Amino acid sequence: MRSIWKGAITFGLVNVPVKLYSATEDHDVSLHQVHDADGGRIRYQRKCEICGKVVDYEHIDKAYDDGDRTVVITGDDLKSLPEERSREIDVLEFVPSDQIDPIMLDRSYFLEPDGTSPKAYVLLRRTLEETDRTAIVHFSLRQKTRLAALRVRGDVLMLQTLLWDDEVREARFPALEKQTRISDKELDMSSSLVDSLSDDFEPADFSDDYQEELRQLIDAKLEEGESLDTDATFGEKPDDDDGEGGEVIDLMEALRQSVEKNRSGGHRKPAKKPAASSTSASAGSTKPAAKGPAAKKPAAKKPAAKKQPASSAPKKKAAPKKKAS
């Protein structure tokens, strides 16, 4: 993991230097848009409405429009704000942990002790554990002032940013204002149903079935010859240089055969089917997306197709399959 912010937790005169890390990541298969007629890549460009030119991110500023006037806010303007310059996570108060409404929880971050000694970090962690309290803190990150809950997870302190009070909608539904009679028998039957489904929550027991099925679909299309030439999809023309053409073809053939051999060797793809009903089967599958480590394995293999634009050799790997079909 790579830290995205450095600063210090401050409460009273106590200062706890920390580094901030994102605690979660997305395991979804990355897809892009293509033209259904020819498979060409669809791109969205940042085009200026005045000069018509495509603008790089480094030349883009932000602006506020009140309807009649527009005020341009530059990157330097944003950096000059006092809150943006602050590198402190200020503890505002310590509250009972059960008073944090889950609907207010937003992003999660891990905090790593930064400095020669973690003593202050461990002291704060132990104090929160023994008092069963959560610290409400205030800090700035990525051009926003954040309210967050500072709590303990295992041996680590973590921040969970909170939505502001006016960002949580109030739910008012007319149907719920009507008087509804629930009999004791109905309540007992409902409670019995809850009891029959009661268990301890183990996140690893659950898998993202949609992503697993999507990976299976992608593999099937690659193997059945329905893949497109990646160069053509991205609008790139093949290299006409005949200088080392023979060697490139031999290398691509060797790569293609190696990939096919690895795919067919273990015959693992069909083993994914029982993943939905068996945790152990899901763990043994080649491409389960449910668990952290397992989710990364398929991502490491499939990027062979995804990352094709980045190197000339892998790019043409899909082409022979298309021509063969």
Side-chain angles (χ1 to χ4, degrees):
M1 293 191 295
R2 183 173 61 87
S3 64
I4 59 175
W5 187 90
K6 287 182 64 174
I9 303 170
T10 61
F11 62 106
L13 299 177
V14 179
N15 187 285
V16 185
V18 292
K19 293 180 181 178
L20 189 75
Y21 298 82
S22 293
T24 59
E25 60 186 0
D26 188 357
H27 68 198
D28 289 357
V29 177
S30 179
L31 302 174
H32 58 252
Q33 295 180 324
V34 297
H35 186 191
D36 62 358
D38 54 21
R41 178 74 180 268
I42 304 297
R43 296 183 182 275
Y44 294 95
Q45 297 180 320
R46 302 171 298 278
K47 188 174 291 187
C48 176
E49 294 184 357
I50 295 179
C51 66
K53 295 180 180 179
V54 176
V55 182
D56 294 332
Y57 277 116
E58 61 188 42
H59 297 299
I60 295 179
D61 285 329
K62 296 183 178 181
Y64 173 78
D65 180 4
D66 67 358
D68 296 322
R69 297 168 298 175
T70 297
V71 177
V72 176
I73 309 295
T74 67
D76 290 338
D77 290 335
L78 294 172
K79 291 178 182 178
S80 69
L81 297 176
E83 281 293 332
E84 180 65 17
R85 296 198 307 269
S86 175
R87 287 287 160 179
E88 291 185 347
I89 301 174
D90 296 320
V91 175
L92 305 178
E93 56 187 8
F94 293 95
V95 302
S97 298
D98 59 7
Q99 289 186 0
I100 306 296
D101 188 340
I103 196 174
M104 298 187 68
L105 298 177
D106 194 11
R107 298 291 183 94
S108 298
Y109 300 93
F110 291 135
L111 292 174
E112 176 191 20
D114 185 26
T116 56
S117 172
K119 185 172 183 177
Y121 181 99
V122 175
L123 175 62
L124 177 57
R125 187 197 72 203
R126 290 282 303 276
T127 303
L128 291 176
E129 285 178 326
E130 295 186 10
T131 60
D132 192 22
R133 293 269 169 168
T134 294
I136 301 301
V137 303
H138 173 276
F139 71 112
S140 296
L141 177 66
R142 292 173 176 169
Q143 299 176 355
K144 282 189 177 182
T145 298
R146 318 273 178 160
L147 189 68
L150 173 64
R151 66 179 186 85
V152 178
R153 186 177 192 270
D155 293 333
V156 178
L157 288 175
M158 71 177 299
L159 279 179
Q160 288 185 281
T161 56
L162 301 173
L163 299 174
W164 296 98
D165 183 62
D166 60 358
E167 292 180 317
V168 179
R169 292 178 174 177
E170 188 173 351
R172 290 183 178 177
F173 303 113
L176 297 180
E177 296 175 1
K178 300 177 182 178
Q179 291 293 330
T180 303
R181 182 179 178 277
I182 302 296
S183 68
D184 292 340
K185 185 175 181 179
E186 290 171 329
L187 190 58
D188 288 341
M189 289 297 294
S190 179
S191 298
S192 297
L193 177 59
V194 170
D195 289 339
S196 68
L197 294 173
S198 296
D199 203 347
D200 293 326
F201 178 55
E202 296 291 343
D205 291 344
F206 303 91
S207 61
D208 189 341
D209 295 338
Y210 179 85
Q211 293 300 319
E212 290 182 8
E213 293 168 0
L214 178 57
R215 292 179 191 278
Q216 281 184 300
L217 175 63
I218 291 172
D219 287 340
K221 282 183 171 287
L222 287 172
E223 292 180 0
E224 293 170 7
E226 293 189 30
S227 58
L228 299 172
D229 186 332
T230 301
D231 285 347
T233 299
F234 283 80
E236 299 176 5
K237 296 182 179 180
D239 190 355
D240 295 331
D241 185 7
D242 296 329
E244 299 180 357
E247 295 181 13
V248 172
I249 293 175
D250 292 343
L251 174 60
M252 291 309 304
E253 180 63 18
L255 288 171
R256 184 184 66 79
Q257 292 181 9
S258 298
V259 171
E260 290 181 350
K261 181 179 179 180
N262 290 336
R263 285 175 174 167
S264 60
H267 195 59
R268 296 177 179 175
K269 271 171 258 174
K272 281 171 45 177
K273 294 180 180 177
S277 60
S278 170
T279 305
S280 59
S282 176
S285 173
T286 307
K287 301 180 180 65
K291 304 178 184 178
K296 292 181 182 177
K297 287 184 180 177
K301 287 189 176 183
K302 261 149 233 84
K306 276 196 266 182
K307 296 182 181 177
Q308 286 168 352
S311 73
S312 59
K315 282 179 183 175
K316 300 178 183 177
K317 181 163 57 176
K321 292 187 177 182
K322 175 188 175 188
K323 294 173 184 176
S325 64

